[in-house]
Amino acid sequence: MIAKQISMRVAKRSNFGELVQYIANSQNKHERVEQITVTNCYQPEYIVAAKEIMAVQQRNTRAGSDKTYHLIISFPAGERPTNDTLREIESKVCASIGFAEHQRISAVHTDTDHLHMHIAINKIHPHRLTIHNPYCDHKVLGTICESLEVEYGLARDNHQAVNRGKQSLALSMESAGGVESLLGWIRRECLAEIRAAGSWQEFHEALQHNGLGINEKGNGFVITDGEREVKPSSVARDLSRPQLEKKFGAFVQSSTINRQPEKAYQPKPMASRQDTTVLYEDYKLAQSRVAGLKSQRIGEARDKKNALIEAAKSEARQKRTAIKQFTQGVLNRKVLYQLTSKSLRDKIQTVNQQYRAESKVIRAGSQRSSWLDWLQKRAVEGDVQALSALRARAGNHSLANNNGFTDRTGDGGKPVVGLKPDSITKRGTIIYRAGASAVRDEGHQIKVSKVITQQALALSLNLAMRRFGPTVKVNGTADFKERVVQLAASEKLPVTFENPALEQRRKSLVSELKTQEKKHESDHRNRFAGGFHRLGRRSRIEQRVYGEPRKSNVARVGTRPPPQAKNRLRDLRELGLVRNAFGSKLLLPGNVFGNVEQQSAQAVNGLRREISESGRMMPNPGEAAARQYIAEREKKRTLIKDIPRHTLWTGESGQAEYAGWREKDGKPLVLLKQEESEIIVLPVNTETLKHAKYLKIGDQVNFDSDGSVQKTGLSL
């Protein structure tokens, strides 16, 4: 853990509101600002709290220094303390430098490889209105970081400052920009040869051999390559002017003619595992184009400004000529001249304001990018070479407690087609959004950050299979490994685990799942034996006794005739017929004998609903789809415990929390959560689904007995 103050070079440019706006800005990224904390303010919202803090700063009119203290606390790559731990660390670090009672706003950023926290602190005490400037804060911050690392079991870091001032700044720029600085190049390439010099002449020759020279400046020296300058004391303390004059005597200018150097400094990317020569040439070409386009647009804006000013001046001259020729009276001419001059000044001021605004827009859109920023942009656009160059800078930062997958034989990978990354870090980590969680693809390892949701778990496992093949290594906690194994077994994924215990667990779960499926199929066959329709209890008994179910009110077919029909045939007059003696009479139901079936309308079976079981109708298609979806979720719930129980909507009305929508066999379904562990599945029509897609997860809705859903008075 490292704590460092970011100071403003010009105190007047410091603005607490702009700092808070920067640290709280998500920059259209899901994985950037994780949490924002406001401390010692009356207002809990950071936007209003920032205005409150600026009002307190304005009440102090005596302080001339910067009234804002910008502190950054950064953690090693892969280390992820809990939110409670981060809040405790923030409180203790601020208290150690005397800001325990001061107002502050902090934000945790997770969009880089190093989780870090920005803390904007008001140096003006909210009650005493006095300013507090910590003394030797870098030493105090180093001491408190060491103690907090031990207290919370964090990775130990070096808190002894080796480089300060220009040395630290140059090395920080190398790390942030990825391009070797002149100071760093001299240290790595020339320092040994320069130190070996025994006189001023040899010292000059050593510098010229490397394309460098030394000049006097102020009370000291500067080493230059013709374009850039560095202080010799920044390269090494024994190269300061007092030390060199103590070693060689008074300074003597070089007496030799400048010779062609054998090597010279050229800005180039820092050493990595990949040759980036071609990419760096493309980068320089792109930057030169940006600079050329910027100069062209600025020139066009300047010419436009000059033309407008010249037109305004020409118009003013014409007005003065007209006033001189056609206006009578000295006083009248004087007044008109003043009005003309004022009009000219106003027009020139307006033109200059327009030019400054246009130039600001041009410069903002034509800024030069650093080498790493350019690689990031290319990687987001899908450039595999740029992504590989970013990852070639990274070392192995994996920690044992990281939840994820690892395989050193992976291909390094590229962004998955069809899956848009949330962002890409300067070390080539691709961050994918997965609901409330995030999946980080580092090429040779895939990690799940934040809360591990089922969606993030499925995404990370599928990425690992695509990146590393069918055999993967699972890292992390025991709970994470168990959830991965359960997911692989329930989804029947073609994956094997490198850990023998996990692989054995997966096989046992697959075996249990197959046994449950066989049992389910057997129960299904027994339940629906004899046809699609379910048989009632009486029908099943009759089937066992007689071999087939009996129809209601229909006698069983016997093997012997009734006594009155035994060994004889009935004649026509004994049959149950209706006699109509007169053809003109209307045949009424009373004329029909009781043993003759009355004529009725023919049955149209296409208008009847099928019977699934005794006294019960078949469900409509939406209900059938809902039952099928519920059966699938309940089947997975036996293996994955955090899946809530799903039940079918039974026609009741009430209030619930919107939990999403699904489509099963083309039938739309709406999910409603009334309890934490239960989901109601409601079949709806297409129009309702169209409006439900505009709802957000967690919205409170009302549902009626007719299946309609309402939110804030608007019916879906």
Side-chain angles (χ1 to χ4, degrees):
M1 180 178 69
I2 296 176
K4 181 180 180 181
Q5 181 205 6
I6 306 298
S7 59
M8 291 289 293
R9 294 183 179 180
V10 182
K12 293 182 179 180
R13 297 183 60 184
S14 176
N15 188 298
F16 192 91
E18 292 181 357
L19 176 59
V20 172
Q21 184 179 4
Y22 164 73
I23 67 177
N25 186 8
S26 63
Q27 298 181 358
N28 297 324
K29 300 178 183 178
H30 171 70
E31 185 78 356
R32 174 173 165 81
V33 181
E34 180 166 330
Q35 67 172 355
I36 300 176
T37 305
V38 179
T39 307
N40 295 331
C41 292
Y42 291 104
Q43 302 296 333
E45 295 293 333
Y46 74 91
I47 298 178
V48 186
K51 296 180 180 179
E52 176 187 339
I53 292 173
M54 288 189 290
V56 172
Q57 289 182 342
Q58 290 178 356
R59 294 180 64 186
N60 181 297
T61 58
R62 295 178 298 171
S65 60
D66 191 359
K67 300 178 182 179
T68 301
Y69 191 94
H70 183 191
L71 179 66
I72 292 182
I73 302 176
S74 180
F75 297 87
E79 190 168 60
R80 178 62 177 83
T82 63
N83 291 338
D84 293 337
T85 301
L86 290 174
R87 282 190 288 268
E88 293 177 5
I89 290 175
E90 184 254 9
S91 177
K92 293 181 179 180
V93 170
C94 292
S96 68
I97 53 178
F99 290 124
E101 299 179 355
H102 286 241
Q103 299 165 313
R104 59 184 184 269
I105 299 175
S106 62
V108 178
H109 286 188
T110 58
D111 61 331
T112 64
D113 297 281
H114 300 265
L115 182 142
H116 58 281
M117 185 184 340
H118 291 268
I119 308 175
I121 306 174
N122 181 16
K123 293 166 67 174
I124 306 299
H125 195 279
H127 304 297
R128 297 192 297 267
L129 299 180
T130 56
I131 190 170
H132 172 63
N133 289 302
Y135 177 72
C136 289
D137 50 353
H138 63 280
K139 294 183 179 180
V140 178
L141 291 174
T143 303
I144 189 64
C145 285
E146 286 182 345
S147 63
L148 291 176
E149 287 169 353
V150 175
E151 180 179 354
Y152 293 101
L154 304 176
R156 304 296 296 273
D157 213 326
N158 178 27
H159 300 285
Q160 298 297 326
V162 179
N163 301 295
R164 294 182 182 177
K166 297 294 184 180
Q167 303 176 19
S168 177
L169 180 61
L171 297 180
S172 297
M173 291 180 64
E174 285 185 347
S175 177
V179 177
E180 189 175 31
S181 65
L182 176 60
L183 188 147
W185 181 80
I186 294 174
R187 278 187 170 185
R188 286 182 283 268
E189 301 291 338
C190 316
L191 185 57
E193 185 178 354
I194 293 173
R195 280 176 169 170
S199 63
W200 280 115
Q201 187 61 31
E202 294 179 0
F203 187 84
H204 289 301
E205 291 178 356
L207 291 176
Q208 292 177 5
H209 181 264
N210 294 280
L212 303 172
I214 187 170
N215 299 320
E216 291 181 292
K217 187 173 184 179
N219 293 328
F221 296 136
V222 291
I223 296 177
T224 178
D225 67 340
E227 298 180 10
R228 308 161 191 86
E229 295 179 348
V230 296
K231 292 172 60 177
S233 58
S234 298
V235 177
R237 292 303 305 166
D238 57 339
L239 297 183
S240 64
R241 181 164 190 165
Q243 294 294 330
L244 290 176
E245 290 184 341
K246 181 179 179 180
K247 182 178 180 181
F248 302 140
F251 176 68
V252 178
Q253 292 285 353
S254 175
S255 60
T256 59
I257 302 175
N258 292 336
R259 295 176 297 180
Q260 186 69 22
E262 295 186 6
K263 58 182 178 180
Y265 167 74
Q266 291 291 337
K268 62 180 181 180
M270 297 291 292
S272 66
R273 299 187 300 271
Q274 178 178 332
D275 184 9
T276 57
T277 305
V278 177
L279 274 176
Y280 193 70
E281 292 298 326
D282 293 342
Y283 161 72
K284 292 193 294 184
L285 180 61
Q287 297 309 299
S288 64
R289 289 176 179 172
V290 170
L293 181 61
K294 173 183 171 182
S295 300
Q296 178 184 351
R297 295 180 63 186
I298 290 291
E300 292 174 354
R302 188 185 302 110
D303 294 341
K304 178 182 176 181
K305 179 199 71 170
N306 294 334
L308 291 175
I309 291 177
E310 185 60 33
K313 290 180 178 179
S314 176
E315 182 182 357
R317 285 194 295 268
Q318 294 176 4
K319 287 182 179 180
R320 290 191 184 96
T321 302
I323 292 170
K324 183 178 180 180
Q325 293 179 357
F326 303 107
T327 303
Q328 300 294 330
V330 177
L331 184 60
N332 291 337
R333 285 197 296 268
K334 183 177 180 179
V335 172
L336 292 176
Y337 283 148
Q338 290 178 350
L339 293 175
T340 302
S341 298
K342 184 179 183 303
S343 175
L344 176 61
R345 288 195 302 270
D346 292 342
K347 288 183 178 180
I348 293 176
Q349 183 179 3
T350 302
V351 170
N352 286 328
Q353 289 177 350
Q354 293 176 352
Y355 169 72
R356 285 192 292 268
E358 188 175 354
S359 299
K360 185 177 180 180
V361 173
I362 293 173
R363 290 188 174 91
S366 305
Q367 292 182 350
R368 293 175 59 88
S369 301
S370 68
W371 164 241
L372 294 183
D373 290 337
W374 184 80
L375 287 178
Q376 270 186 291
K377 183 179 179 181
R378 291 284 295 269
V380 171
E381 294 172 354
D383 191 329
V384 180
Q385 294 296 327
L387 180 62
S388 300
L390 289 172
R391 287 178 171 171
R393 303 176 57 248
N396 184 7
H397 297 290
S398 60
L399 298 179
N401 61 347
N402 277 338
N403 293 321
F405 309 90
T406 305
D407 189 341
R408 285 298 166 192
T409 62
D411 60 355
K414 58 183 179 180
V416 179
V417 178
L419 190 60
K420 183 180 179 181
D422 188 62
S423 61
I424 297 180
T425 68
K426 290 185 178 181
R427 292 195 177 273
T429 300
I430 307 174
I431 302 177
Y432 295 102
R433 178 178 179 178
S437 185
V439 178
R440 306 171 73 92
D441 180 4
E442 298 180 359
H444 295 296
Q445 57 181 344
I446 295 173
K447 298 185 292 187
V448 184
S449 61
K450 290 188 179 181
V451 180
I452 304 176
T453 62
Q454 199 67 15
Q455 183 180 359
L457 200 66
L459 175 60
S460 61
L461 182 55
N462 280 278
L463 280 176
M465 293 171 59
R466 296 188 61 172
R467 184 77 74 241
F468 310 138
T471 303
V472 297
K473 178 182 179 182
V474 186
N475 299 322
T477 61
D479 179 67
F480 175 77
K481 294 178 180 179
E482 176 64 20
R483 292 182 62 183
V484 170
V485 173
Q486 290 181 358
L487 176 65
S490 62
E491 297 294 338
K492 300 179 181 179
L493 298 177
V495 62
T496 57
F497 298 112
E498 185 177 314
N499 189 321
L502 294 182
E503 179 61 19
Q504 183 62 32
R505 172 64 175 161
R506 185 191 69 84
K507 291 180 179 179
S508 64
L509 288 176
V510 171
S511 178
E512 292 177 6
L513 183 61
K514 289 182 179 179
T515 303
Q516 292 179 2
E517 289 179 349
K518 290 181 180 179
K519 182 179 178 181
H520 177 74
E521 292 176 359
S522 177
D523 294 343
H524 183 79
R525 286 194 299 268
N526 294 335
R527 188 177 182 182
F528 295 94
F532 176 79
H533 302 296
R534 181 179 176 182
L535 300 176
R537 181 174 180 272
R538 181 177 178 180
S539 298
R540 290 197 299 270
I541 296 175
E542 291 174 347
Q543 185 179 21
R544 288 196 297 269
V545 176
Y546 303 112
E548 63 180 18
R550 296 178 58 185
K551 296 182 180 180
S552 59
N553 300 325
V554 178
R556 181 172 59 88
V557 178
T559 58
R560 297 180 181 180
Q564 66 271 19
K566 187 176 182 181
N567 299 324
R568 62 186 293 271
L569 293 175
R570 289 176 291 174
D571 55 10
L572 187 60
R573 60 184 176 84
E574 294 178 357
L575 298 178
L577 299 178
V578 178
R579 182 181 179 186
N580 187 2
F582 305 97
S584 60
K585 288 186 177 181
L586 180 63
L587 186 64
L588 299 175
N591 301 116
V592 183
F593 299 111
N595 62 341
V596 177
E597 184 178 359
Q598 298 184 14
Q599 182 70 22
S600 61
Q602 291 184 352
V604 183
N605 294 326
L607 300 178
R608 295 187 177 183
R609 296 184 180 180
E610 296 181 342
I611 304 299
S612 61
E613 56 181 301
S614 179
R616 182 171 181 178
M617 293 187 298
M618 286 290 291
N620 59 51
E623 182 179 346
R627 290 183 180 276
Q628 186 177 358
Y629 174 75
I630 292 172
E632 293 177 356
R633 299 304 294 172
E634 290 299 307
K635 181 179 177 182
K636 289 186 178 180
R637 196 165 72 92
T638 59
L639 297 176
I640 303 176
K641 303 302 181 184
D642 57 352
I643 295 180
R645 180 172 174 265
H646 287 63
T647 59
L648 180 64
W649 174 67
T650 57
E652 76 279 3
S653 61
Q655 186 176 9
E657 181 180 319
Y658 179 69
W661 62 272
R662 299 289 186 273
E663 281 193 7
K664 187 65 179 176
D665 297 336
K667 305 301 180 183
L669 308 172
V670 169
L671 307 182
L672 304 174
K673 181 188 291 186
Q674 275 191 318
E675 299 180 3
E676 188 64 27
S677 59
E678 182 173 336
I679 298 292
I680 298 176
V681 182
L682 173 63
V684 297
N685 54 32
T686 306
E687 188 66 22
T688 301
L689 177 63
K690 178 181 177 181
H691 294 285
K693 291 181 179 180
Y694 292 97
L695 293 175
K696 295 181 180 179
I697 302 296
D699 286 348
Q700 293 295 325
V701 297
N702 296 323
F703 58 97
D704 299 332
S705 57
D706 59 353
S708 63
V709 183
Q710 296 180 349
K711 175 183 178 292
T712 61
L714 298 178
S715 176
L716 298 179

